[in-house]
Amino acid sequence: MVKWLFFIFICLFNHLYSQVTPIYNDPLNVIKTEQPYLIQAMEMIRFGDAAGAVRLLRQDANPAKQTFESDFLIGYGYKQLGEIDKAIDFFSKATRYEALSLPAFFERGNCYLTRKNFGQAVFDYDRAIVIDSTFIPAYNNRAYARIRNYGEVGMPTQQLKFARIDMATALRLSIKNKETSKFEYYYNIGLIDLYLSEYALAKLDFDAAIGSNPNVPKAYYYRGAAQFLNKAYHAAADDFKKAEEGGFVTESSPEFLHIIELIKQHEALTGERISK
C-alpha cells in the first residue's frame, strides 16, 4: 500500500500542478481613441487578422503616429501571433509613453508567463496592482506565476501562501464586484490548499466551487483527493466516481479507488474503522 500511495501522490500533484491556470482579459477594451487607423487595427485584431494590424501600424514611420496606443496594439498583435519577444519589446515601449499603464504591464506579464520567465511576470503583475489594487486578473495571474516560478524548485511554503493570499484577494474583489461566477477562484484556492497539505480546508474550498458550479467534474476529483488525503475514504470514493461519470479521469483515479476498496475490505474483515 505504501508503494501505491507514493505513486498516486506523485500523479496527483503533477496533475494538480497543471490545473492552476491564469486568467486573460480583453485589453483592447481599455484603448480609447478616435484615430481611424487605430480603430481599424483593433477591429483587425478582434477579427483574427493580427498580422494585418501590425503591418498597418508599422507601415507609417511618422513619429506623430508612434503613441502609447499604437505601440500597445503592435505589442498585442505580436502576442496574438506568438512572437513573444517582439510583443514584450513593444509593450515596454508603450510603458515609456504611459508609466502608469496597467494594460501594458499586465500584458507584458502575460508574455513573460508564456515565455516561462515567471519571476519577471510577478514583477509586472506587482506593477499592475500598484496602479490598480482592484484589478482581479493581476492577482490571479500573479498567484499562478508564483506557483510556477517557485514550484519548479521545490515549492517553498511561503510562496504558496503568498499565492493563496492573491487568490483570496481575487475572490474577495469578485464578491465585492458582484460577479456571478466564482468557481475558478474557489477552485484555484482549493488547489493551493492541497499543495499546502491543508486537506480539510481544501475540501471546504471545493465544496464552495461545486456550490458555485456543480457541473465541473474536475472539482469532484480534487475534492475526492482532499478527502482521501484527510482519510475520509468513503466520501472520497463517491467524489472520484462523480468525476469519472462527468468524464474527468486521470491515471491516478483507478489507484485511488483500488486503495479505497482495499480499505473497505479491511474494515469489513476486521471491524476496524479506518475511514473518518
Side-chain angles (χ1 to χ4, degrees):
M1 184 176 291
V2 172
K3 179 180 178 182
W4 281 326
L5 283 172
F6 177 77
F7 172 76
I8 63 174
F9 285 163
I10 295 299
C11 290
L12 168 65
F13 286 102
N14 283 343
H15 197 265
L16 186 154
Y17 177 82
S18 69
Q19 286 295 308
V20 181
T21 56
I23 292 175
Y24 295 94
N25 71 335
D26 180 6
L28 299 184
N29 291 332
V30 304
I31 300 297
K32 308 298 181 184
T33 181
E34 296 180 358
Q35 295 292 333
Y37 74 102
L38 293 175
I39 294 172
Q40 183 181 354
M42 284 192 286
E43 289 303 304
M44 293 172 78
I45 291 172
R46 284 196 172 102
F47 285 97
D49 187 12
V54 170
R55 284 195 300 271
L56 172 67
L57 293 168
R58 300 203 68 181
Q59 69 184 2
D60 191 343
N62 183 353
K65 290 190 175 182
Q66 294 177 338
T67 63
F68 163 79
E69 290 83 4
S70 66
D71 282 347
F72 179 85
L73 289 173
I74 292 170
Y76 193 71
Y78 278 130
K79 176 174 174 279
Q80 295 298 95
L81 293 169
E83 297 187 45
I84 301 304
D85 288 340
K86 290 181 180 178
I88 289 172
D89 182 47
F90 275 91
F91 286 137
S92 298
K93 289 179 179 178
T95 64
R96 295 172 195 154
Y97 292 101
E98 292 190 19
L100 297 178
S101 170
L102 183 153
F105 285 113
F106 180 69
E107 284 303 319
R108 191 174 70 178
N110 291 342
C111 287
Y112 283 126
L113 276 188
T114 301
R115 207 169 68 173
K116 298 184 178 181
N117 188 339
F118 303 117
Q120 191 61 48
V122 168
F123 175 80
D124 275 347
Y125 296 136
D126 287 345
R127 295 289 295 272
I129 289 168
V130 167
I131 294 167
D132 183 356
S133 62
T134 68
F135 187 61
I136 295 174
Y139 289 102
N140 186 93
N141 289 20
R142 188 170 70 177
Y144 173 80
R146 281 173 165 161
I147 291 169
R148 294 298 307 273
N149 186 34
Y150 299 98
E152 294 184 352
V153 289
M155 295 193 303
T157 300
Q158 191 61 41
Q159 291 303 322
L160 292 179
K161 289 180 177 178
F162 286 147
R164 193 188 191 285
I165 291 169
D166 277 342
M167 288 292 186
T169 302
L171 174 61
R172 175 177 56 79
L173 290 171
S174 74
I175 293 172
K176 183 177 179 180
N177 294 346
K178 298 181 180 179
E179 292 185 12
T180 56
S181 178
K182 304 177 185 66
F183 172 85
E184 290 296 338
Y185 303 120
Y186 286 121
Y187 175 76
N188 283 340
I189 291 171
L191 293 179
I192 293 173
D193 281 333
L194 268 183
Y195 276 127
L196 291 168
S197 301
E198 296 285 352
Y199 306 130
L201 192 56
K203 189 265 183 185
L204 295 177
D205 299 329
F206 292 121
D207 283 347
I210 290 167
S212 177
N213 185 350
N215 301 315
V216 185
K218 64 182 181 180
Y220 293 98
Y221 174 83
Y222 286 108
R223 186 174 71 177
Q227 297 196 103
F228 180 93
L229 295 169
N230 202 35
K231 300 182 180 180
Y233 300 116
H234 299 281
D238 291 338
D239 274 340
F240 290 135
K241 289 174 183 176
K242 287 178 182 176
E244 284 191 333
E245 289 168 0
F248 189 83
V249 182
T250 74
E251 60 184 348
S252 57
S253 295
E255 295 294 339
F256 274 124
L257 290 170
H258 181 62
I259 291 174
I260 291 171
E261 186 59 34
L262 291 177
I263 290 169
K264 288 181 178 179
Q265 292 175 12
H266 175 81
E267 290 178 337
L269 287 172
T270 65
E272 177 188 6
R273 181 73 175 183
I274 296 176
S275 180
K276 288 184 178 179

